[in-house]
Amino acid sequence: MENLIGLLVAAPLLGAALLLCGGRRLDGKGHLLGTALALASFVIGAVLFADMLGRDEHDRALHSHLFSWIPVGGFRADVAFQLDQLSMTFVLLITGVGSLIHIYSIGYMEHDERRRRFFGYLNLFLAAMLLLVLADNYLLLYVGWEGVGLASYLLIGFWQHKPSAATAAKKAFIVNRVGDVGLSIAIMLMFTTFGTFAFAPVLSNATDASEGKLTAIGLMLLLAACGKSAQVPLQSWLGDAMEGPTPVSALIHAATMVTAGVYLITRSGAIFNNAPDAQTAVVTVGAVTLLFGAIVGCAKDDIKKALAGSTMSQIGYMILAAGLGPIGYVFAIMHLVTHGFFKAGLFLGAGSVMHGMNDEVDMRKYGGLRKYMPVTFVTFGLGYLAIIGFPGLSGFWSKDKIIEAAFAKGGTEGWILGGAALLGAAITAYYMTRVMLLTFFGEKRWVPDEQGNEPHPHESPKSMTIPMIVLAFGSVFAGGLFSLNDAFLKWLEPVTSHSHGHSPLSAATVTAGTMVVLLIGVAIAWVQYGRRPVPSTAPRGSLLTRAARRDLLQDDFNHVVLVKPGEYLTRGLVYVDHKLVDGVVNGTAASVGGLSGRLRKLQNGYARTYAVSMFGGTAVLIAATLLMRAV
Amino acid sequence: MSFPLLTVTAAVPALGAVATAAVPAAKRAAAKWVALGFSLATLVLAAIVLVSFDPDGAHFQLTESHPWIKDFGVRYELGVDGIAVALIALTALLIPFIILAGWHDADPLEEASPNRRWRPTQGFFALILMVEAMVVISFEATDVFLFYIFFEAMLIPMYFLIGGFGDRAGGRSEEESATQRSYAAVKFLLYNLAGGLIMLAAVVGLYVVTADDLGTGTFSLQQITDARAAGTLDFATSTERLLFLGFFFAFAVKAPLWPLHTWLPNAMGEATSPVAVLITAVVDKVGTFAMLRFCLQLFPEASKWATPVIMVLALISIIYGALLAIGQRDIKRLIAYASISHFGFIILGIFAMTTQGQGGATLYMVNHGISTAALMLVAGFLITRRGSRLIADYGGVQKVAPVLAGTFLIGGLATLSLPGLAPFISEFLVLVGTFSRYPALGIIATVGIVLAALYVLVLYQRTMTGPVKAEVRGMPDLKVRELVVVAPLIALLIFLGVYPKPLTDIVNPAVDHTLSVVDKKDPKPDHPVTDAGWFSYSPMHDRASGGAK
C-alpha cells in the first residue's frame, strides 16, 4: 500500500510532463490524457482510503520513504510521504474536485487552441498540491507549496496576451513569495531548534522548545499561510487572480490551493497549541479577513470577483477555526471540505453563465437567467443555499460549528471572535443573495456589445453540467454526512486532537442566532436587489461601497507604501551605482573611457602593453624574492 | 609514475586552442568543429576525473608534484578535492554549450566593408578553449604561485573575448558598439589587474614569511597547512591579516563582491551572450573557489577576523544586486546584476563557516553556472533575433515563439530559486547555514528571494507576454542547435533539484576538511531530536497534545 502513495503524485506529474513536452501531436487527445491521469490519481486515492478505513484508527498512517534528498551535515531532507487521515482528506478533495474540473474543462476550453497546455498545467497543479499534503517534512512541503504557486502563476496568466492576466499572474507569485519568506524562516528556526524539520520529530517534541521559539515559528508559518490563503495583509492577489480561466478559479483559487494555509496551520497544531500568542495572531487574521472578504464581496459587480471576496472570507473562517486550537481544527478542515464542494460548484456555475453570455462577467448585465440555464440555476442555487448556511445543507453544519467554537474560546476574546463570525454570516447571506438575484432573477439586462453581438444565453454542454451536478450533491449532503454520528470528528481526531471548550452560549442559541442574522442578510439583499429593478450601470454608492469596490484600497495602500518607494529606491540605486560606486574608480574609468577610442585602434598595441606589465610583475616578484633570500 | 590525469585535463583544451587557431582561413567553419571536438574531449576527461575521485579518500587526490622554479620553492603541484572536482565538471560541461551557442557569433560579416573589423572565427573559439584550460588548471593548482600565474593569465584571452566580439545587435552604430566594448574590456582588465597586483604582493609576502619560519620558502598549500597544524609555521596576527586581505581583494574583484562589482554589468552587457556566460558561470567561480581554498585554508585566523565585514558586504551584494537588477532596462545587464546578487549568496555561505553554508555555497557555484547559462543563452538567442538588448523592444514573444519563451521562463525560475530546481537547494542551504550562526543576517538575506521573483517575473512579463509587438512578429522559434544547447541544461537543473546527492556526496567531505582547518564547528540545535527511528514514527502515537483516550 505504501508504494501507491508515490503513484498518487506520479500520475499527474507524468501527465504534465507528457502534455507540456509532447508537442503538437498530442493536441488532439491531450485533454483526455490529462483527465484520465487525474482520474487515475483519484482511483488510487480511493483505494488507499478504503485500505485506511480497514485499519484501526490509531494505526492508519502510512509512511513511504523514497530517497535521501539533501544530506549536508546535520541537515537532512528526505523525499518521503506520510499519509494519515488529514492528508487523506485532502487527497480525496484534491483528486475528486480536480477530476471533476478536468472534465468540466474539456467543454469549457474546447475552442482554445492551447487546450493541451492548459491540461498540462492542471496536471502539474494536481501533482504539486498532492506533494504539498503528502510530504512528511516541511522542506518537501515547501516544494509542493511553490509548485502550486507556479501552477497558479501559469494558469492565472494562461491568456498571457492580455496584459491584465500577465500582471495578475506576476502579482500572485510575488505576494506569495513574501509568504514564502515566512515559510523559509520557519523551517530554519525548526532546524536550529530541533535539528530537523520533519513533521513527526518536530511536532512530537514541540514542547521541548521555549514558548518564544514556538511563537516565532508559529508567526512565520502564519505569514506563509497568509500568502497562500490570501489572508490580510497578503490578500491583494486573489481578486486579480480571477483573470485566469474559470475552472482554474474553481479548482485552485477556491477549492484547493488557497486552503493550503489552513492545512499548514492545522498540520503544525502542536506548535500553535503551545504558542498562545501565535494563536491570537492567527484568530485575529482570520476574523479580520472573514469580514474584509465579505465586505469586498458585497461591492463587486464582477461575478468572479464577488465569489473571490467570498472565498477569502470563507478561508478567514477556516483560519479563525484553526487558530482556536484543538477546539477548532476539525471544523476548520470540515468547512474546508464542504467549502471545496460548494465554492467549486459556484465557480463552475459562474463559468457556465459566462460561457452562455459571451464571457460577460458584469452581473449588472445578467438578469433573469434562470429561464435560460435551468441546470446552472439549480446547481448554483444549491451552492448558494449551502454557503449561506441554509439549515441542513453542507455549509450549515460546518460554519455553525466554527461560530460555536469561536464563542467557546471564552472570555472577551470569545465574544469578539464569535461576534465577528456571526456578523460575517450575515454579510455572507447578503452578498450571496445579491449575486443570486442579480444573475438569475429580475429582468434581462444584457445589451449587444460594440460589434452588435447580442448574447444568446444557453445551457452548457453535458461535460460542464455533470461536474456541476456532482458538486451540487456534495454541497447538499456532505455536511450532513460528516456530522452524522460526528463521523468527521472521529475520523480526524486521532491526528488533530479535539477538545470541546466551554461556550457561554448553548449550541441551540448559537444556531438560532445564526439563523436570525442569515434572514436579516437575505432580507436586506432582497429589498435592494429583488424588490426593485437593478440599474445596469453601478450607482456611485457610499464611501464604503466605493472603497470596497477598490478592495478596501488594498492596492492603493500597497502602491503608496511599497511600489512607489520601491521604484524610487531602485531608480536611485541605478543612479548611485552608475555615478558613485563606479566613480570610486572614476579617475581610471573616465580616462579609460576617453582613451578607448584610441585604444580600439591599438588593440594589439594595448595587449602588448599588458603583456609587458605581466612580465614586469613577474620580474618584480622574482627580484623581490631574490632580495629576501639575500637578506 | 601514474598517468597525469589532471595535467592532461587542462592540456587538452589548451592543445585544442592551438589546433583551432591553426585552422586555415579558407576552412574557417571547420574551426568550430575542432573546438567543439576538443571541448567534448575535455568533458570526457572531466568525467574520468569525477569517476576516479573517491569521496571518502584523501583530501587531495590525483595529485601531481614536480619542482618547477627550485630557487623560489615554486612547484608544479596539482590535486583536487571534492569542491574542485565539482567545479571542473561544471566548467567542462558548460564549454561545449558555450561553443554551440556561439556557433555564429564569430562568422565573418557578409559584406565586409573596410570599416568593419574582421571577426576571426578561429580566434574566438581558440580563446574560449584557452580560458577553459586556464580555469581548469586554476581549480587544480595546489601551489599558490602556480595558481596565481593562471589566475592572472586568464585575463588575456578574456580581454580579447570581451573587447573583440560584441553583439552584432544593439541598434547602435558599429563604431559606438566598438567603443562601448573596448570600454568594457578595459574596465574588466583594469579591475582584475588591480586585484591581481595586490595579490602578487601578498604572494611575495607569503614566500617571505614561509622562508623565514621554515628555512625554505614554499607556495605549497599542503605544506603550509601542515606546517601550521604542526606549529612550525606561525604567522604574526598582523601579517596574516595583511596577506589575507591581499588575496581576498583579488578574489572579491573576480567574484565580484560589492562595491568592486561595476565591471561585471559592462562586461556581460557588451560581450556576446556565450562569453557573458563564460565570465559569470565559469571565470568568476575561480574567485569564490579561491576564497574557499586559499583564503580560508592559508589564513584561517584572519578569515575569522574579517568575517563580520565580509558577511555584511555579501549581504549588501545580495540586496543591492537584486534591486539594481529590478531597475535595469537592458536584458543582459539585468542578468549581470542578478549574478552579483547570487555571488553575494555564495560568499555569504562561505563565510558563514557552517557545513550547510559552505556546502550550499559550493552547490551554488555549480547551480548558478547552469541556471545562468540557461537564462543567458536563451536571452542571447532572443537578442540575436530582434537585434536589441532593451527589454522595452520586446513584447508578446510567447505567442510567436512558445518554446523560446518556455525555456526562458524555466531559466528564470531557476534564477529565482524555485523549489524543485537545483538552485533552490543551494540557496536554502546557504540561508540555513547563515541563519544557524547569524540569525539576523539569515533573515535579511531571505528577503532576496522576493526581490529575485520581482526581477525575473518583470523581465518575463515585459518581454514575453502582452500583445505581440510588430518587430517581434514572425520571430522564429528555437532551432535545433539552440534546443540542443538549452534542453540538457534544463534537464540538469531538474535532475540536480530532485536528486543532488551525487553532488553533495562529493562536496561534503571537502567542506568538512575546510571547516576543520578553520577550526569551526556547526552550532548545535537547542533541543536536538535524537529519536533515530523517526521514519517509522506515527504522528498519532503519544502526541503530547491530543489523541489521548
Side-chain angles (χ1 to χ4, degrees):
Chain A
M1 273 299 155
E2 284 86 354
N3 300 333
L4 284 182
I5 305 177
L7 277 182
L8 216 46
V9 181
L13 194 60
L14 174 73
L18 286 176
L19 292 174
L20 295 177
C21 306
R24 295 191 192 285
R25 80 202 82 139
L26 281 173
D27 273 355
K29 292 271 181 287
H31 53 285
L32 297 179
L33 177 72
T35 309
L37 284 164
L39 279 166
S41 199
F42 176 66
V43 170
I44 300 169
V47 169
L48 284 163
F49 179 57
D51 172 71
M52 188 179 269
L53 283 179
R55 273 175 285 130
D56 177 72
E57 67 171 41
H58 287 291
D59 195 27
R60 282 183 171 157
L62 289 178
H63 198 274
S64 159
H65 182 258
L66 293 190
F67 56 90
S68 165
W69 179 30
I70 316 176
V72 175
F75 186 96
R76 287 185 187 272
D78 295 293
V79 174
F81 299 130
Q82 167 187 309
L83 182 72
D84 59 8
Q85 290 92 320
L86 182 59
S87 328
M88 191 75 240
T89 310
F90 274 88
V91 165
L92 292 176
L93 177 74
I94 295 161
T95 55
V97 176
S99 297
L100 288 173
I101 282 165
H102 274 76
I103 295 167
Y104 179 91
S105 304
I106 294 175
Y108 193 84
M109 301 298 283
E110 196 176 351
H111 304 296
D112 197 298
E113 55 176 358
R114 290 156 74 235
R115 179 163 68 165
R116 168 179 58 90
R117 214 193 287 191
F118 181 81
F119 277 82
Y121 293 159
L122 276 189
N123 271 203
L124 177 68
F125 169 76
L126 283 189
M129 189 74 204
L130 288 168
L131 183 64
L132 195 166
V133 297
L134 287 169
D136 90 328
N137 64 75
Y138 284 95
L139 201 68
L140 190 62
L141 174 144
Y142 194 175
V143 176
W145 189 265
E146 285 255 309
V148 293
L150 172 66
S152 162
Y153 169 80
L154 294 169
L155 285 164
I156 295 170
F158 187 71
W159 290 312
Q160 292 184 342
H161 52 277
K162 278 164 62 189
S164 56
T167 307
K170 180 194 67 184
K171 183 177 178 185
F173 196 97
I174 287 165
V175 174
N176 267 292
R177 270 258 150 159
V178 178
D180 293 345
V181 170
L183 189 53
S184 299
I185 295 174
I187 297 174
M188 295 194 278
L189 272 167
M190 287 179 206
F191 177 69
T192 55
T193 309
F194 302 105
T196 171
F197 37 79
F199 290 149
V202 167
L203 298 174
S204 53
N205 294 288
T207 42
D208 290 355
S210 66
E211 192 185 315
K213 274 274 166 61
L214 292 175
T215 306
I217 295 175
L219 290 175
M220 288 298 114
L221 290 175
L222 174 64
L223 181 63
C226 283
K228 198 58 82 197
S229 294
Q231 299 293 294
V232 176
L234 298 181
Q235 79 290 358
S236 68
W237 63 272
L238 186 63
D240 295 356
M242 297 300 123
E243 287 287 342
T246 307
V248 172
S249 312
L251 177 62
I252 302 184
H253 304 117
T256 54
M257 183 191 85
V258 283
T259 59
V262 183
Y263 171 77
L264 184 68
I265 292 174
T266 309
R267 175 61 81 193
S268 314
I271 291 169
F272 285 95
N273 293 346
N274 296 297
D277 290 344
Q279 282 187 315
T280 307
V282 175
V283 291
T284 309
V285 164
V288 168
T289 309
L290 82 85
L291 293 174
F292 186 106
I295 293 170
V296 169
C298 294
K300 294 287 184 184
D301 289 331
D302 177 326
I303 185 168
K304 285 181 72 182
K305 294 208 167 169
L307 290 178
S310 160
T311 302
M312 202 187 281
S313 169
Q314 297 299 314
I315 297 172
Y317 273 104
M318 300 171 209
I319 295 278
L320 166 64
L324 295 172
I327 332 173
Y329 292 132
V330 172
F331 305 126
I333 302 298
M334 186 160 131
H335 193 55
L336 192 156
V337 175
T338 57
H339 175 259
F341 288 126
F342 57 69
K343 187 53 69 62
L346 288 169
F347 264 110
L348 293 190
S352 175
V353 168
M354 287 161 58
H355 201 66
M357 293 291 290
N358 292 355
D359 289 328
E360 178 61 71
V361 290
D362 186 353
M363 292 187 287
R364 292 186 184 273
K365 306 235 160 58
Y366 294 165
L369 288 176
R370 66 180 189 283
K371 293 190 285 271
Y372 303 90
M373 310 179 166
V375 182
T376 306
F377 168 62
V378 171
T379 53
F380 194 94
L382 291 172
Y384 156 74
L385 291 176
I387 193 175
I388 64 169
F390 190 81
L393 271 65
S394 288
F396 167 79
W397 300 102
S398 50
K399 200 195 286 178
D400 199 52
K401 289 286 184 194
I402 292 180
I403 298 173
E404 216 176 287
F407 280 112
K409 173 90 177 163
T412 327
E413 217 184 330
W415 284 103
I416 295 174
L417 296 175
L422 263 184
L423 182 58
I427 309 179
T428 306
Y430 169 79
Y431 69 72
M432 281 311 300
T433 309
R434 175 176 176 269
V435 168
M436 199 65 198
L437 292 171
L438 283 177
T439 306
F440 292 104
F441 292 88
E443 294 304 311
K444 73 165 201 151
R445 293 184 298 275
W446 59 87
V447 285
D449 61 14
E450 293 95 45
Q451 286 92 41
N453 299 324
E454 189 171 326
H456 298 287
H458 54 84
E459 191 51 271
S460 298
K462 285 236 159 47
S463 66
M464 287 168 67
T465 51
I466 290 172
M468 286 154 58
I469 294 168
V470 176
L471 288 169
F473 267 96
S475 313
V476 175
F477 299 112
L481 273 177
F482 291 166
S483 304
L484 210 63
N485 273 332
D486 285 335
F488 199 79
L489 178 66
K490 286 181 186 149
W491 161 253
L492 269 190
E493 195 187 358
V495 181
T496 60
S497 76
H498 183 70
S499 67
H500 281 291
H502 307 284
S503 175
L505 300 171
S506 73
T509 320
V510 172
T511 308
T514 313
M515 287 305 112
V516 171
V517 299
L518 188 160
L519 285 174
I520 296 173
V522 172
I524 297 177
W526 188 77
V527 168
Q528 284 187 327
Y529 299 96
R531 218 175 47 164
R532 53 179 188 235
V534 179
S536 61
T537 47
R540 192 170 141 78
S542 69
L543 203 62
L544 178 65
T545 312
R546 275 178 282 146
R549 274 187 203 136
R550 292 182 68 92
D551 302 288
L552 297 177
L553 308 180
Q554 61 186 14
D555 290 334
D556 308 76
F557 177 84
N558 289 344
H559 194 75
V560 172
V561 176
L562 296 170
V563 178
K564 272 288 149 195
E567 271 174 19
Y568 290 132
L569 179 66
T570 51
R571 260 187 244 155
L573 279 180
V574 169
Y575 181 81
V576 166
D577 195 60
H578 191 60
K579 297 287 173 196
L580 272 174
V581 181
D582 216 11
V584 172
V585 280
N586 217 3
T588 12
S591 62
V592 167
L595 281 173
S596 62
R598 258 176 297 156
L599 286 178
R600 190 175 52 76
K601 299 194 184 90
L602 299 170
Q603 286 281 338
N604 295 325
Y606 188 80
R608 261 202 302 280
T609 319
Y610 176 70
V612 169
S613 76
M614 274 289 295
F615 281 118
T618 316
V620 169
L621 175 85
I622 294 166
T625 39
L626 276 177
L627 206 67
M628 289 302 162
R629 277 171 67 85
V631 170
Chain B
M1 201 181 86
S2 61
F3 181 70
L5 182 59
L6 293 184
T7 302
V8 173
T9 310
V12 165
L15 277 175
V18 175
T20 308
V23 173
K27 292 182 179 162
R28 134 179 331 133
K32 303 171 179 180
W33 292 101
V34 173
L36 185 63
F38 273 95
S39 72
L40 289 172
T42 314
L43 179 58
V44 171
L45 285 165
I48 297 174
V49 171
L50 190 68
V51 174
S52 5
F53 183 81
D54 172 14
D56 304 318
H59 179 56
F60 285 124
Q61 298 181 23
L62 304 171
T63 48
E64 296 168 34
S65 183
H66 309 282
W68 182 22
I69 313 176
K70 279 194 181 126
D71 279 347
F72 314 113
V74 178
R75 299 183 66 84
Y76 178 79
E77 226 174 51
L78 303 181
V80 286
D81 59 2
I83 300 170
V85 168
L87 290 172
I88 290 169
L90 170 75
T91 307
L93 180 83
L94 287 181
I95 298 294
F97 293 119
I98 287 172
I99 289 175
L100 259 182
W103 205 246
H104 297 301
D105 283 4
D107 285 353
L109 291 168
E110 294 79 5
E111 0 79 71
S113 65
N115 286 336
R116 301 214 168 149
R117 286 181 308 111
W118 177 58
R119 291 163 173 276
T121 312
Q122 298 92 326
F124 182 72
F125 294 102
L127 287 169
I128 292 177
L129 286 177
M130 208 57 197
V131 172
E132 178 179 25
M134 289 172 174
V135 169
V136 168
I137 205 156
S138 303
F139 288 139
E140 293 171 348
T142 54
D143 182 281
V144 177
F145 192 81
L146 184 69
F147 169 84
Y148 173 75
I149 298 272
F150 289 102
F151 181 76
E152 281 292 276
M154 194 186 302
L155 298 179
I156 301 171
M158 279 315 301
Y159 168 77
F160 285 112
L161 279 172
I162 298 168
F165 306 88
D167 271 330
R168 266 183 216 188
R172 299 175 304 194
S173 69
E174 186 74 11
E175 185 77 7
E176 196 196 334
S177 308
T179 312
Q180 288 293 326
R181 264 204 303 279
S182 289
Y183 174 72
V186 172
K187 195 170 174 184
F188 162 81
L189 195 59
L190 285 183
Y191 267 73
N192 283 281
L193 207 54
L197 285 176
I198 292 175
M199 182 178 165
L200 178 62
V203 169
V204 174
L206 183 69
Y207 180 82
V208 174
V209 174
T210 52
D212 257 6
D213 274 21
L214 300 175
T216 54
T218 179
F219 292 106
S220 162
L221 177 64
Q222 192 72 53
Q223 226 174 318
I224 294 173
T225 46
D226 286 352
R228 285 197 63 136
T232 48
L233 176 63
D234 193 14
F235 291 131
T237 309
S238 58
T239 317
E240 187 183 337
R241 287 176 184 177
L242 276 176
L243 294 180
F244 168 85
L245 288 177
F247 276 72
F248 184 79
F249 185 76
F251 303 149
V253 169
K254 183 82 85 191
L257 181 68
W258 188 89
L260 305 170
H261 63 277
T262 57
W263 64 269
L264 186 72
N266 287 81
M268 282 179 71
E270 298 306 326
T272 65
S273 296
V275 172
V277 172
L278 191 66
I279 297 171
T280 188
V282 178
V283 171
D284 286 354
K285 296 294 161 21
V286 181
T288 43
F289 165 81
M291 288 180 194
L292 264 174
R293 177 171 278 184
F294 296 109
C295 282
L296 260 53
Q297 301 192 25
L298 287 173
F299 318 111
E301 293 310 316
S303 299
K304 285 186 266 187
W305 161 76
T307 292
V309 175
I310 295 173
M311 293 291 276
V312 169
L313 291 178
L315 203 57
I316 294 175
S317 281
I318 293 172
I319 306 292
Y320 185 91
L323 286 173
L324 264 289
I326 295 169
Q328 294 306 308
R329 279 178 278 188
D330 173 322
I331 299 175
K332 286 163 82 184
R333 288 177 67 90
L334 187 153
I335 300 174
Y337 277 104
S339 280
I340 291 168
S341 181
H342 288 145
F343 277 106
F345 274 108
I346 297 175
I347 295 170
L348 194 72
I350 292 173
F351 283 88
M353 310 250 186
T354 53
T355 45
Q356 290 82 36
Q358 293 191 348
T362 307
L363 295 192
Y364 212 123
M365 291 186 222
V366 175
N367 295 338
H368 168 263
I370 304 169
S371 66
T372 306
L375 184 64
M376 191 59 156
L377 292 178
V378 180
F381 300 150
L382 181 72
I383 290 166
T384 314
R385 281 165 166 70
R386 167 72 177 82
S388 168
R389 286 165 17 200
L390 292 181
I391 297 169
D393 285 347
Y394 295 86
V397 173
Q398 62 89 23
K399 193 100 177 160
V400 287
V403 179
L404 189 153
T407 49
F408 191 68
L409 181 62
I410 298 175
L413 293 173
T415 302
L416 63 76
S417 299
L418 186 87
L421 299 175
F424 167 71
I425 293 170
S426 34
E427 193 160 298
F428 199 82
L429 283 171
V430 166
L431 289 173
V432 159
T434 307
F435 183 85
S436 61
R437 210 183 283 286
Y438 310 97
L441 297 185
I443 288 172
I444 299 172
T446 311
V447 174
I449 74 171
V450 179
L451 299 177
L454 259 169
Y455 62 68
V456 168
L457 295 183
V458 170
L459 173 65
Y460 181 82
Q461 184 191 354
R462 295 203 178 139
T463 52
M464 299 296 169
T465 71
V468 183
K469 283 220 167 147
E471 297 86 347
V472 168
R473 205 160 288 144
M475 183 183 274
D477 212 333
L478 289 189
K479 296 196 257 300
V480 174
R481 171 181 62 88
E482 294 165 330
L483 263 180
V484 167
V485 171
V486 179
L489 293 176
I490 289 176
L492 207 57
L493 284 171
I494 295 173
F495 176 76
L496 288 178
V498 175
Y499 196 61
K501 202 160 168 291
L503 203 52
T504 53
D505 281 348
I506 292 179
V507 169
N508 285 343
V511 167
D512 291 342
H513 174 86
T514 310
L515 283 173
S516 72
V517 170
V518 190
D519 192 26
K520 276 277 195 181
K521 289 202 169 55
D522 286 351
K524 285 256 174 301
D526 304 345
H527 310 282
V529 174
T530 45
D531 184 357
W534 42 303
F535 289 138
S536 56
Y537 182 89
S538 160
M540 277 137 270
H541 292 207
D542 65 32
R543 162 90 42 95
S545 55
K549 281 277 137 104

